[in-house]
Amino acid sequence: MNYISMRMHFVVMVMLLVAIIIDGSECRSSCRLTNISITVESEECGSCITIDTTACAGLCKTQESVYRSPLMLSYQNTCNFREWTYETYEFKGCPARADSVFTYPVALSCECSKCNSDITDCGALSQQTLSCNAH
């Protein structure tokens, strides 16, 4: 290999390395806040509303073992709330003693971590938009 050929080979390798690093950082940062709408119906109050809030969505880097040992626990990281708060909505015009308050979480930040099934539904999130008439 002559000097020019070696230099071109080096330049191509550096460009590939940079592309891999940039692509890898994109994958790592794809767990992020996203705006969602929640449709809530109160049969007691006779009303239906759509609440706009924030949640966490995106991909997290994970590795799946080729061999699964019953002795070794395995899990996949998922995009979860790191910090959150709760907000409430009070339905108007409800009869006395009706449960007129709906409390929902609002994500403040996100992280890739093991899904905690004690506080989170770890199943797949439906992409279907629901409406109050979808019964």
Side-chain angles (χ1 to χ4, degrees):
M1 233 188 228
N2 64 25
Y3 176 74
I4 294 175
S5 177
M6 284 178 37
R7 188 170 179 169
M8 288 299 292
H9 185 74
F10 176 75
V11 168
V12 169
M13 294 301 287
V14 168
M15 290 174 64
L16 283 173
L17 180 62
V18 170
I20 290 169
I21 290 170
I22 290 171
D23 188 42
S25 65
E26 175 90 15
C27 291
R28 284 193 300 273
S29 65
S30 67
C31 174
R32 60 186 170 269
L33 291 172
T34 186
N35 295 322
I36 64 167
S37 296
I38 304 170
T39 302
V40 182
E41 181 176 15
S42 172
E43 291 182 8
E44 293 177 307
C45 301
S47 61
C48 176
I49 58 151
T50 300
I51 295 172
D52 295 320
T53 186
T54 54
C56 296
L59 301 174
C60 295
K61 181 180 177 183
T62 187
Q63 291 180 326
E64 188 67 35
S65 298
V66 175
Y67 172 74
R68 290 190 181 182
S69 168
L71 303 175
M72 187 169 58
L73 295 175
S74 67
Y75 64 91
Q76 294 185 348
N77 284 334
T78 57
C79 185
N80 299 303
F81 289 23
R82 180 181 346 172
E83 297 175 303
W84 66 90
T85 187
Y86 290 96
E87 292 186 7
T88 58
Y89 176 84
E90 186 169 354
F91 288 95
K92 309 293 185 247
C94 299
R97 296 187 181 162
D99 185 10
S100 62
V101 177
F102 176 72
T103 302
Y104 58 96
V106 178
L108 303 175
S109 63
C110 305
E111 68 180 349
C112 289
S113 61
K114 181 179 175 185
C115 186
N116 182 349
S117 58
D118 292 339
I119 60 170
T120 305
D121 178 3
C122 298
L125 183 63
S126 172
Q127 296 299 316
Q128 180 180 354
T129 304
L130 298 178
S131 69
C132 293
N133 299 328
H135 305 243

